[in-house]
Amino acid sequence: MVDPGTIDPKILDILQEVKDPEIPTISLLDLGVITEVRIGENEQVRVEMTPTFVGCPAMDYMKRDVENKLEQNGYSDFEVNVSLEKPWTTNNITERGKKALKEHGLAPPPHLEKIVDIDILENVKCPYCESDNTELQTPFGPTLCRSMHFCHSCKQAFEQFKPL
Amino acid sequence: MENQAAKELLYKMADDALIIGHRNSEWTGIGPMLEEDISFSSMAQDKIGHSWALFKILNKLGENEPDIVAFTRNAEQFHNCQMVEFPIGEYNFSLVRHFFFDLAEYHRYEMLEDSSLGDLAQLARKIKGEIKYHVLHAKTWMKNLGNSTEEAVSRLQGSLNELYPMALGMFEPSPFEDQIVSDGIFGGESELMSKWRSSVMEIIDQTQLELNIDGDWNPLYGGRSGVHTEHLQPLLDEMSEVVRTDPAAEW
Ligand SMILES: [Zn+2]
């Protein structure tokens, strides 16, 4: 989560408009993919980003999106840097971000403690009917970030943004 | 020549991930069930992403760009263990290979979390979280099928026996073994193998399968020094064919 610190809140408002290409309800800030925004020397805007998964195919695209957004809003001196220095985990998703996932029909990830075990993926709350009478189908989904589940209450398949 | 030891390690890890990633992507569209189809494709995408990240570290150490390294070398310049280059075979073969491979990967990245090579340590901490899901997947299916019908158990048993000596080839000692350990880059293949063997047995013991790890096995070595089976070159040709026909293909 980005610490607003002393940066001009206008920049954060602008960046809030950059959404995840796969889940357009969530911003990259709320997803936690933007890890830091600060003003460097000579008023340069510096944005640090980190991939959700190492193999995330959308990372370059997201970086360009951030650059374009800054440019469109009149910033000419900026640097967007991608690194694993502050590795992403689902714990970086903000509360607003979790709501946005749900709006998109995705079960938000539970807060992750140290150990990932099968039970963290079992009985995930169904995003449609809130039931936890659900079953894990596979820890992998159509994109790297998701796992697939089935709800026995409303008989619908759903996906979870899986904890990492 | 500190770099040389690090490069040897990075190349073999990257090549393992690249090759098994491409092999497992062959399950796309033909998996035994839709879920398995998706799982193998998703894991393949992870693996190829991991190989790319490793090639980027190599690039920083002075090697060529990732796409050049990945798609223009010939088989004898690859350092993957032979196990990963074999065709996908039947589902039970691919499952057991995935089980052996990902348990080893998990421990390898765990050991690398505090590597003296900073970029690799950082990457290892990140990748370990992802591999947990691969391991979870492998263990779940080994336990399910290893306790199911007589036929499933006997098929898996066949693949275990066939793949175990191949899997031992993952731990072929490097010529830089002593150096890499004393430089704090990596704890070494033999320590990795012993962690791997306990994790393998922990799961096997919960099934009707058997594996005599102290038996007289003959490890399938050679891959680390560029000796490969006839299966690798056609796969490499196919991989670079995709790149030639679609230069914008993203991996
Ligand atoms: Zn439901």
Side-chain angles (χ1 to χ4, degrees):
Chain A
M1 272 158 275
V2 172
D3 172 10
T6 56
I7 23 168
D8 183 353
K10 206 177 83 191
I11 300 179
L12 292 185
D13 287 346
I14 290 165
L15 290 176
Q16 195 58 250
E17 291 168 26
V18 188
K19 308 292 183 187
D20 180 281
E22 277 155 7
I23 310 165
T25 51
I26 190 169
S27 72
L28 297 187
L29 273 172
D30 287 328
L31 185 56
V33 162
I34 295 179
T35 54
E36 198 179 347
V37 183
R38 61 195 160 89
I39 307 297
E41 268 175 59
N42 304 320
E43 299 296 296
Q44 190 194 40
V45 179
R46 299 186 60 97
V47 179
E48 296 290 332
M49 299 179 72
T50 195
T52 50
F53 279 69
V54 171
C56 175
M59 194 62 229
D60 289 342
Y61 181 90
M62 294 194 277
K63 178 176 184 244
R64 272 197 304 278
D65 250 12
V66 169
E67 291 167 341
N68 291 342
K69 186 58 81 179
L70 288 170
E71 217 158 41
Q72 286 157 15
N73 283 276
Y75 292 92
S76 53
D77 190 12
F78 54 79
E79 196 184 311
V80 181
N81 182 39
V82 178
S83 84
L84 295 173
E85 213 168 296
K86 294 182 186 166
W88 183 83
T89 90
T90 40
N91 292 348
N92 292 0
I93 302 176
T94 63
E95 284 309 312
R96 176 164 56 183
K98 287 181 184 167
K99 278 200 197 101
L101 290 176
K102 232 179 134 187
E103 271 166 41
H104 193 70
L106 283 168
H111 189 85
L112 185 64
E113 304 301 337
K114 263 201 123 99
I115 304 153
V116 174
D117 214 337
I118 189 86
D119 33 309
I120 200 155
L121 293 172
E122 293 292 355
N123 305 113
V124 170
K125 206 183 263 299
C126 169
Y128 303 119
C129 74
E130 305 279 320
S131 164
D132 30 25
N133 182 15
T134 68
E135 191 181 2
L136 170 70
Q137 291 185 299
T138 154
F140 300 98
T143 74
L144 297 180
C145 314
R146 308 184 196 179
S147 51
M148 294 173 38
H149 306 258
F150 186 79
C151 174
H152 293 294
S153 298
C154 70
K155 310 274 178 233
Q156 291 186 77
F158 68 92
E159 291 168 11
Q160 185 203 24
F161 206 88
K162 72 184 179 225
L164 186 73
Chain B
M1 292 304 277
E2 185 189 332
N3 263 2
Q4 205 140 8
K7 283 181 187 174
E8 199 268 347
L9 175 69
L10 289 163
Y11 264 117
K12 70 188 173 196
M13 290 172 63
D15 289 347
D16 275 354
L18 182 70
I19 300 303
I20 197 143
H22 278 275
R23 276 295 181 224
N24 282 343
S25 72
E26 292 171 18
W27 279 108
T28 308
I30 59 163
M33 287 162 284
L34 181 63
E35 290 83 11
E36 277 307 273
D37 199 320
I38 291 169
S39 298
F40 270 92
S41 310
S42 187
M43 288 188 285
Q45 199 185 338
D46 266 345
K47 295 292 191 238
I48 293 169
H50 298 166
S51 73
W52 231 244
L54 292 161
F55 286 136
K56 281 185 190 158
I57 299 179
L58 277 162
N59 184 225
K60 272 188 165 175
L61 295 178
E63 297 296 287
N64 259 321
E65 296 286 329
D67 48 351
I68 295 185
V69 178
F71 300 120
T72 63
R73 283 177 299 154
N74 287 317
E76 64 273 19
Q77 295 167 294
F78 269 74
H79 304 279
N80 57 279
C81 62
Q82 292 184 7
M83 177 176 77
V84 297
E85 68 204 41
F86 281 83
I88 55 175
E90 301 278 327
Y91 177 73
N92 40 281
F93 181 88
S94 277
L95 173 63
V96 172
R97 173 163 64 180
H98 154 49
F99 169 68
F100 281 152
F101 183 76
D102 277 290
L103 278 181
E105 285 267 280
Y106 180 79
H107 287 299
R108 191 183 286 275
Y109 282 110
E110 185 180 50
M111 287 169 68
L112 286 167
E113 280 183 304
D114 42 28
S115 169
S116 59
L117 189 62
D119 283 337
L120 183 55
Q122 217 170 60
L123 182 66
R125 289 193 281 269
K126 175 71 183 159
I127 289 184
K128 200 184 105 182
E130 299 182 14
I131 304 253
K132 276 181 188 167
Y133 283 106
H134 300 210
V135 168
L136 184 68
H137 177 264
K139 286 182 178 176
T140 306
W141 282 98
M142 287 300 287
K143 284 195 263 186
N144 283 351
L145 294 176
N147 288 309
S148 61
T149 63
E150 208 174 303
E151 199 205 330
V153 172
S154 104
R155 278 163 158 263
L156 269 189
Q157 185 63 57
S159 295
L160 268 184
N161 299 343
E162 183 185 0
L163 274 148
Y164 190 70
M166 296 186 187
L168 293 176
M170 292 191 284
F171 313 105
E172 180 174 350
S174 134
F176 305 103
E177 213 60 37
D178 293 339
Q179 194 190 338
I180 209 160
V181 176
S182 64
D183 288 346
I185 297 173
F186 176 55
E189 299 297 329
S190 87
E191 187 186 327
L192 172 60
M193 187 172 82
S194 89
K195 286 170 190 272
W196 173 81
R197 296 206 321 176
S198 344
S199 293
V200 165
M201 288 318 292
E202 194 190 311
I203 300 303
I204 298 296
D205 288 343
Q206 297 173 50
T207 65
Q208 295 162 38
L209 301 162
E210 283 167 12
L211 183 60
N212 174 16
I213 54 168
D214 297 316
D216 193 14
W217 300 97
N218 199 2
L220 190 63
Y221 284 162
R224 300 304 188 204
S225 56
V227 178
H228 294 284
T229 66
E230 73 276 18
H231 305 296
L232 183 60
Q233 191 59 49
L235 175 65
L236 297 176
D237 293 343
E238 214 172 279
M239 281 160 51
S240 55
E241 186 65 31
V242 175
V243 178
R244 268 198 298 275
T245 47
D246 179 10
E250 285 205 25
W251 295 101

